[in-house]
């Protein structure tokens, strides 16, 4: 007889474990089945005996055979013990697997925490290195800026000195050229006067005293003595013109100017000036005055907003307190203000 294997509701476990078997119900079902077989057999025997012969007296009821029951009960007890052992083993295995899973979870959590701590430490070290690098770069940039400022000032000073020397040299050359032109003009006038006097037949007047740089290299020769009166005097020969004075050597060309970068050139005020216009645009929140170019990009033609005064109304300062009456009276007194303004 096969044991009853239908699962029971209250004892049905979770996790794939086989359901518990009710051996008492299985035993009672086996007893009822055997009892029905015996009743059917007796009914058939009684029907056959009644049809063949008269009904004999009822035989004594045989003693029940409990050997099969004992064997089945013993077998059911053994199966129940095996099933209990199996379930206990499965429960123990599940507990071991649960403990191993919890241990793995704890190990993963510890590894995750260690990795997070390591990443945090590396990030902190990287941040410190970046700050140190930024400080070093800032210091180098500051030193480079100071060095550039010093070189720029030096170049500016040298450029100013060179410019002043060029201006002085140019003025000196201009003065020399002007003096040379005046000397040449004075010599031309003297030659022209001497030529006119020689053409008229008159003795040239003594040449005016000239500076050594303007004096000619030699004086003109004297006119010959007049012939005797009977014969007419021949015309005096024209004296040769005085040789021109040698021109002064040409001035040496000025040295080429030094090309400086735009940052090293001296500052010159630009010709065109930039104007921001009148400062008459009022903030709609704090009523501060601004230039029109100071409005924010989201301003419109009718609604102009500003962020330099009150951050579009986010900053609200308390109103100014009223003046004391005595100061207000003195400020309104014109005579008092005139006396204050007259004090030097």
């Amino acid at each position: 007889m096969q044991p009853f294997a239908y699962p029971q509701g209250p004892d049905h476990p979770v996790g794939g474990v086989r359901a518990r078997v009710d051996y008492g119900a299985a035993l009672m079902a086996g007893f009822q089945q055997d009892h029905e077989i015996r009743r059917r057999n007796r009914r058939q025997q009684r029907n056959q005996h009644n049809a063949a012969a008269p009904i004999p007296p009822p035989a004594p009821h045989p003693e029940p055979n409990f050997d099969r029951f004992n064997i089945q009960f013993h077998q059911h007890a053994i199966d129940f013990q095996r099933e209990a052992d199996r379930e206990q083993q499965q429960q123990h295995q599940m507990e071991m697997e649960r403990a191993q899973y919890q241990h793995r979870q704890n190990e993963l959590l510890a590894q995750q925490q260690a990795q997070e701590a390591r990443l945090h430490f590396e990030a902190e070290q990287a941040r410190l290195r970046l700050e140190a690098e930024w400080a070093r770069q800032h210091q180098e940039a500051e030193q480079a800026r100071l060095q550039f400022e010093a070189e720029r000032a030096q170049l500016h000073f040298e450029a100013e000195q060179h410019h002043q020397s060029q201006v002085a040299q140019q003025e000196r050359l201009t003065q020399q050229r002007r003096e040379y032109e005046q000397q040449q003009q004075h010599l031309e006038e003297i030659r022209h006067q001497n030529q006119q006097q020689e053409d008229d037949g008159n003795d040239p007047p003594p040449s005016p005293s000239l500076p050594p740089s303007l004096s000619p290299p030699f004086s003109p020769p004297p006119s010959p003595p007049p012939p005797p009166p009977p014969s007419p005097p021949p015309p005096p020969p024209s004296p040769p013109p005085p040789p021109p004075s040698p021109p002064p050597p040409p001035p040496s060309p000025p040295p080429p100017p030094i090309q400086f970068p735009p940052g090293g050139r001296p500052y010159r005020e630009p010709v065109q000036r930039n104007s921001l216009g009148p400062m008459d645009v009022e903030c709609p929140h704090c009523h501060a005055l601004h230039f029109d170019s100071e409005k924010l990009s989201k301003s419109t033609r009718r609604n102009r907003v500003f962020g330099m005064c009150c951050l579009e109304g986010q900053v609200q300062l308390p109103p100014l307190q009223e003046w004391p009456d005595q100061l207000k009276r003195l400020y309104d007194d014109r005579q008092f203000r005139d006396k204050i303004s007259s004090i030097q």
Side-chain angles (χ1 to χ4, degrees), residues 1-2 4 23-43 68-69 72 76:
M1 182 180 61
Q2 296 295 332
F4 184 76
Y23 292 98
L27 186 61
M28 291 301 295
F31 285 161
Q32 291 179 2
Q33 185 178 4
D34 293 341
H35 181 66
E36 292 293 334
I37 292 173
R38 285 194 299 270
R39 288 179 61 185
R40 185 169 58 252
N41 291 336
R42 283 196 303 270
R43 189 181 299 109
R68 187 178 177 182
F69 174 76
Q72 290 181 356
H76 291 168

Side-chain angles (χ1 to χ4, degrees), residues 134-166:
W134 182 83
R136 184 181 62 80
Q137 292 180 0
H138 181 70
Q139 184 178 4
E140 291 179 355
E142 189 67 20
Q143 292 179 358
R145 187 184 66 81
L146 295 176
Q147 184 178 1
F148 175 75
E149 291 291 339
E151 293 178 355
R152 180 181 176 182
Q154 183 68 21
L155 290 175
H156 182 70
F157 177 74
E158 292 178 358
E160 286 293 335
Q161 293 291 334
H162 182 71
H163 179 68
Q164 293 179 2
S165 62
Q166 284 186 346

Side-chain angles (χ1 to χ4, degrees), residues 182-196 208:
Q182 292 177 359
Q183 293 174 4
Q184 291 294 331
Q185 184 179 3
H186 188 64
L187 288 176
E188 288 294 335
E189 292 178 355
I190 293 176
R191 286 198 204 95
H192 184 66
Q193 292 178 2
N194 293 337
Q195 186 69 26
Q196 287 182 353

Side-chain angles (χ1 to χ4, degrees), residues 87-103:
E87 290 181 0
Q88 186 177 3
Q89 185 177 1
Q90 291 178 357
Q91 186 71 19
H92 181 66
Q93 185 176 1
M94 289 178 60
E95 290 179 357
M96 290 182 61
E97 291 179 356
R98 190 180 298 109
Q100 292 178 0
Y101 176 76
Q102 188 67 25
H103 181 67

Side-chain angles (χ1 to χ4, degrees), residues 37-330:
I37 292 173
R38 285 194 299 270
R39 288 179 61 185
R40 185 169 58 252
N41 291 336
R42 283 196 303 270
R43 189 181 299 109
Q44 291 178 0
Q45 290 176 4
R46 187 169 54 251
N47 292 335
Q48 291 176 3
H49 182 71
N50 292 334
I55 299 175
H61 189 73
E63 293 292 334
N65 188 8
F66 292 102
D67 293 338
R68 187 178 177 182
F69 174 76
N70 293 333
I71 292 173
Q72 290 181 356
F73 183 79
H74 184 66
Q75 185 65 30
H76 291 168
I78 292 174
D79 293 341
F80 179 77
Q81 185 65 30
R82 289 178 180 175
E83 188 69 22
D85 294 341
R86 190 181 300 110
E87 290 181 0
Q88 186 177 3
Q89 185 177 1
Q90 291 178 357
Q91 186 71 19
H92 181 66
Q93 185 176 1
M94 289 178 60
E95 290 179 357
M96 290 182 61
E97 291 179 356
R98 190 180 298 109
Q100 292 178 0
Y101 176 76
Q102 188 67 25
H103 181 67
R104 287 196 299 270
Q105 291 293 331
N106 294 334
E107 288 182 352
L108 290 175
L109 183 60
Q111 291 179 1
Q112 185 177 3
Q113 291 178 356
Q115 186 176 3
E116 290 178 357
R118 181 174 56 83
L119 291 176
H120 179 71
F121 177 75
E122 292 178 355
E124 189 68 19
Q125 292 293 328
R127 186 182 64 82
L128 294 176
R129 286 196 299 270
L130 287 176
E131 289 181 355
E133 184 68 18
W134 182 83
R136 184 181 62 80
Q137 292 180 0
H138 181 70
Q139 184 178 4
E140 291 179 355
E142 189 67 20
Q143 292 179 358
R145 187 184 66 81
L146 295 176
Q147 184 178 1
F148 175 75
E149 291 291 339
E151 293 178 355
R152 180 181 176 182
Q154 183 68 21
L155 290 175
H156 182 70
F157 177 74
E158 292 178 358
E160 286 293 335
Q161 293 291 334
H162 182 71
H163 179 68
Q164 293 179 2
S165 62
Q166 284 186 346
V167 170
Q169 185 177 3
Q170 189 70 21
E171 292 179 354
R172 185 169 60 255
L173 293 176
T174 304
Q175 185 67 24
Q176 291 179 359
R177 189 180 297 108
R178 189 179 295 111
E179 293 177 356
Y180 175 73
E181 291 176 356
Q182 292 177 359
Q183 293 174 4
Q184 291 294 331
Q185 184 179 3
H186 188 64
L187 288 176
E188 288 294 335
E189 292 178 355
I190 293 176
R191 286 198 204 95
H192 184 66
Q193 292 178 2
N194 293 337
Q195 186 69 26
Q196 287 182 353
Q197 291 177 3
E198 290 177 358
D199 292 342
D200 295 339
N202 299 326
D203 293 335
S207 56
S209 60
L210 298 175
S213 59
L214 298 180
S215 58
F218 58 93
S219 60
S223 59
S231 62
S238 62
S245 60
S252 60
I258 302 176
Q259 297 294 334
F260 293 99
R265 298 174 185 173
Y267 175 77
R268 285 178 172 78
E269 190 70 25
V271 179
Q272 297 181 355
R273 296 178 180 269
N274 185 19
S275 176
L276 298 177
M279 189 177 179
D280 56 353
V281 184
E282 185 176 353
C283 176
H285 301 286
C286 65
H287 307 288
L289 296 180
H290 295 273
F291 294 104
D292 184 67
S293 59
E294 293 178 343
K295 63 179 180 293
L296 299 180
S297 58
K298 61 182 180 181
S299 301
T300 60
R301 183 174 296 179
R302 296 184 178 180
N303 184 19
R304 302 177 184 178
V305 292
F306 301 90
M308 299 174 60
C309 50
C310 61
L311 291 177
E312 304 180 33
Q314 299 181 14
V315 178
Q316 296 182 0
L317 298 177
L320 298 176
Q321 298 180 1
E322 293 292 337
W323 292 16
D325 295 337
Q326 185 175 3
L327 289 179
K328 194 172 183 181
R329 279 198 311 272
L330 293 176

